[in-house]
Amino acid sequence: MSSATISRSGSLLLSFVVCSAIVCGFVAANERFVHWFVIPIFVCGVIVGVDGIQWLLGRHDLFDPAGIVGIIGLHFFFLAPLLHVHWDYSISASLPAIDPPADWREWLGRMAIWNAAGLILYRIAMNRAALWRGKSSQDSVWLVNKTPLLLSAACGLAISVCAQSWIYAQFGGIGGFIEACTEKSSEATHADAAFAGMGWTLILAECLPILAMISYAATVGRTRVGRSYFTIIVVFLLFFVLRILFGGLHGSRSNTIWALFWAAGILHFWVRPLSKTFVFVGVCFLIVFMYAYGFYKSLGTGALTALSEGEKPSELGERTGRTFEGLLLGDFGRADVQAFLLYRLSLPDRDYSYAWGRTYMSTITLMVPRSFWPNRPPSKLKEGTELQYGVGSFDSEGWASSREYGIAGEAMLNFGPAAIPPAYLLFGLLVGRLRRFLSKLHLDDVRRFLSPFLVILCFWMLVADSNTMLFVIVKDGLAPAMVVWIGSRVIRYSCQAHSERELASGMPAGLTS
């Protein structure tokens, strides 16, 4: 038996033990867990926890997509459903207009059965895709062409500064911009009128922090000064400030936290491998930031006024609905939303008809400017609203549910629960191919600048919908990808001459122009 097989077997056993201990703890603490729903949730935790355990044990690289999905998946598929029951937290608490099921546990359990089937296919597909070599006899390495890279990045930085300055000027300064961004309700309308027509300007404005980090890493590289943790911490803090000023004030916590993840990946691949201790400290900082930023989303600068007048964070959280429970279960989970969709689809008298792929097709139409197609299909807004609230509840000119349903939720909107396992099979194929691609990259391949972003997309694919995925790819990935493409020179080599030892030590063998 190979060491890799032993490693996987040991991780499976450890995942089983850890998940068993957690379930036993919940059962001991709350009698509501003496219910069959914990069994399929436990199975999901064991399956997805294998990669999470291997990541924690250092058997996966820090930015290995399978390890990241494993860690996130432990919360998404396992802890979040259990915490929903333990805290008695569900969408019915924040949206009293819906007609909730009599017992959420039954539908969390039924959803976990579908998820377990999907996760089995996910693991099979991921492992197969990671081993598939394809038929190409040529491979390539993209080396840094520093002068074009820095010049193109400088152009992007200048455009970003101009775009962000123009946006602030439109609102009378940063204070006016913050006031326009302050969220007034938990459910958004179709479009924010204050920012109508600013889509591409906002995209251009937000690319500065990442372009600055790419320029820094390409310039400093693995020098002694750049590798010191003091320098890395200073760079992180500067990046954080830039991200707040260029995109962070717009009201989306994900704008900041995933940009920090990307920046950490760039430093990890190009400057110094980061330790898990450093990552743990960073995660703690991000959780505190996301909790505090939730108050900003609801109250803007009024949150600081409330805190300065003596209002406690817990009281502020209750007043605004921005609680710690909501952060963990609403931002990083979809358990109650997906269970509710499954419940609505199972009603014998439901009036909802499957979208049959309309939400995916409408996402493609988002590439067409609204000026050319004013009445574009409303992405998943119509289907999501009508499944939750009934046919006819969708208002094309006003309110609609803005919830994210995740890969499984959108599959249900289109084809029903039976589409969940195939959706996760596709997800596994993409994660496996990404692992294969990243493992083949040379140490100095310029595409490593984009590697963390590709890992981020794995998370978005799990928790977000297709329209959000497209938006993230265009908004966050387009400008950096163009800079990387311009600032690279491609060298091809024969796969037969490929050697992992040669790649690790220097230029690949068999290089040809």
Side-chain angles (χ1 to χ4, degrees):
M1 184 179 295
S2 67
S3 59
T5 303
I6 296 174
S7 175
R8 286 194 297 270
S9 300
S11 298
L12 177 61
L13 177 60
L14 189 54
S15 179
F16 180 89
V17 172
V18 170
C19 292
S20 297
I22 292 174
V23 168
C24 289
F26 276 107
V27 171
N30 192 330
E31 63 181 10
R32 295 196 66 201
F33 288 93
V34 184
H35 189 278
W36 67 265
F37 89 104
V38 301
I39 298 175
I41 291 175
F42 167 77
V43 172
C44 289
V46 173
I47 295 172
V48 77
V50 172
D51 287 316
I53 294 295
Q54 290 195 327
W55 185 88
L56 290 172
L57 294 177
R59 293 169 183 164
H60 287 323
D61 182 79
L62 199 62
F63 288 84
D64 187 304
I68 298 297
V69 170
I71 288 293
I72 294 173
L74 271 173
H75 172 76
F76 187 87
F77 294 104
F78 178 61
L79 288 176
L82 298 176
L83 289 173
H84 272 290
V85 175
H86 181 69
W87 286 332
D88 195 22
Y89 182 96
S90 67
I91 58 173
S92 58
S94 57
L95 296 176
I98 69 168
D99 182 20
D103 189 346
W104 279 99
R105 295 176 299 177
E106 178 181 352
W107 298 98
L108 289 170
R110 291 192 183 191
M111 188 65 205
I113 293 174
W114 286 109
N115 284 337
L119 287 173
I120 292 173
L121 294 181
Y122 160 80
R123 287 204 59 84
I124 294 173
M126 181 187 66
N127 292 333
R128 293 291 180 88
L131 296 175
W132 183 71
R133 296 179 178 274
K135 299 181 179 180
S136 175
S137 60
Q138 292 285 320
D139 215 327
S140 62
V141 57
W142 293 24
L143 299 179
V144 176
N145 199 355
K146 187 175 291 187
T147 299
L149 185 142
L150 295 179
L151 286 175
S152 59
C155 291
L157 294 173
I159 294 172
S160 180
V161 170
C162 293
Q164 188 64 71
S165 299
W166 181 84
I167 291 171
Y168 284 149
Q170 294 299 110
F171 294 94
I174 295 179
F177 181 82
I178 291 175
E179 184 177 352
C181 292
T182 301
E183 185 179 82
K184 302 300 183 183
S185 65
S186 60
E187 288 284 304
T189 55
H190 294 316
D192 191 335
F195 299 95
M198 291 187 178
W200 282 104
T201 308
L202 291 168
I203 290 173
L204 293 173
E206 294 183 14
C207 67
L208 182 141
I210 285 297
L211 294 184
M213 181 61 77
I214 290 175
S215 302
Y216 170 80
T219 303
V220 173
R222 301 177 183 89
T223 60
R224 184 174 181 179
V225 174
R227 287 173 58 86
S228 73
Y229 269 116
F230 175 79
T231 304
I232 289 175
I233 292 173
V234 170
V235 169
F236 257 118
L237 291 176
L238 290 174
F239 180 87
F240 177 72
V241 172
L242 285 175
R243 191 55 182 171
I244 293 296
L245 293 174
F246 290 82
L249 295 176
H250 195 264
S252 173
R253 289 173 282 195
S254 61
N255 258 359
T256 301
I257 62 169
W258 293 114
L260 288 170
F261 180 93
W262 191 348
I266 291 173
L267 293 175
H268 176 75
F269 288 124
W270 281 94
V271 178
R272 173 178 182 161
L274 302 179
S275 66
K276 284 189 171 61
T277 301
F278 186 89
V279 172
F280 176 76
V281 173
V283 169
C284 293
F285 167 78
L286 289 179
I287 291 175
V288 173
F289 165 77
M290 291 185 70
Y291 181 62
Y293 195 86
F295 301 146
Y296 165 79
K297 286 193 68 174
S298 294
L299 301 176
T301 55
L304 293 177
T305 303
L307 292 172
S308 64
E309 292 176 351
E311 189 169 1
K312 297 179 180 179
S314 57
E315 297 172 342
L316 197 59
E318 291 296 330
R319 177 158 68 90
T320 61
R322 299 291 177 178
T323 61
F324 183 70
E325 293 88 342
L327 169 65
L328 288 182
L329 303 182
D331 288 17
F332 291 107
R334 298 289 182 266
D336 59 339
V337 175
Q338 293 178 353
F340 183 64
L341 296 186
L342 182 63
Y343 161 71
R344 293 284 295 175
L345 288 172
S346 302
L347 293 177
D349 58 345
R350 66 177 173 88
D351 52 3
Y352 176 81
S353 299
Y354 294 136
W356 298 114
R358 283 195 305 271
T359 71
Y360 303 116
M361 294 301 297
S362 65
T363 293
I364 297 175
T365 67
L366 293 177
M367 300 298 294
V368 181
R370 192 174 293 275
S371 57
F372 292 101
W373 193 349
N375 298 317
R376 290 181 314 200
S379 66
K380 49 81 196 267
L381 291 175
K382 180 178 185 297
E383 283 75 16
T385 301
E386 294 193 341
L387 178 54
Q388 292 178 85
Y389 298 95
V391 172
S393 59
F394 174 74
D395 182 357
S396 60
E397 298 297 331
W399 180 89
S401 175
S402 61
R403 290 191 174 276
E404 296 285 338
Y405 307 107
I407 185 174
E410 189 170 8
M412 283 193 285
L413 291 177
N414 284 278
F415 307 108
I420 295 174
Y424 282 121
L425 184 145
L426 175 62
F427 182 50
L429 289 174
L430 294 176
V431 172
R433 292 303 298 155
L434 179 58
R435 291 190 77 195
R436 174 72 180 166
F437 169 74
L438 297 181
S439 69
K440 294 174 63 180
L441 288 183
H442 183 262
L443 185 65
D444 294 319
D445 196 304
V446 72
R447 288 172 292 182
R448 282 179 175 264
F449 284 126
L450 303 176
S451 297
F453 176 66
L454 297 177
V455 177
I456 291 170
L457 292 181
C458 293
F459 168 81
W460 280 113
M461 190 173 182
L462 184 64
V463 305
D465 305 322
S466 57
N467 63 322
T468 302
M469 282 286 297
L470 178 63
F471 176 72
V472 169
I473 290 171
V474 174
K475 181 179 75 72
D476 296 332
L478 185 60
M482 290 180 63
V483 168
V484 166
W485 178 68
I486 293 171
S488 63
R489 54 189 179 93
V490 181
I491 299 177
R492 303 191 181 279
Y493 61 90
S494 170
C495 289
Q496 293 180 347
H498 174 72
S499 166
E500 295 296 336
R501 180 178 299 176
E502 289 168 331
L503 282 177
S505 61
M507 187 66 68
L511 289 177
T512 58
S513 300

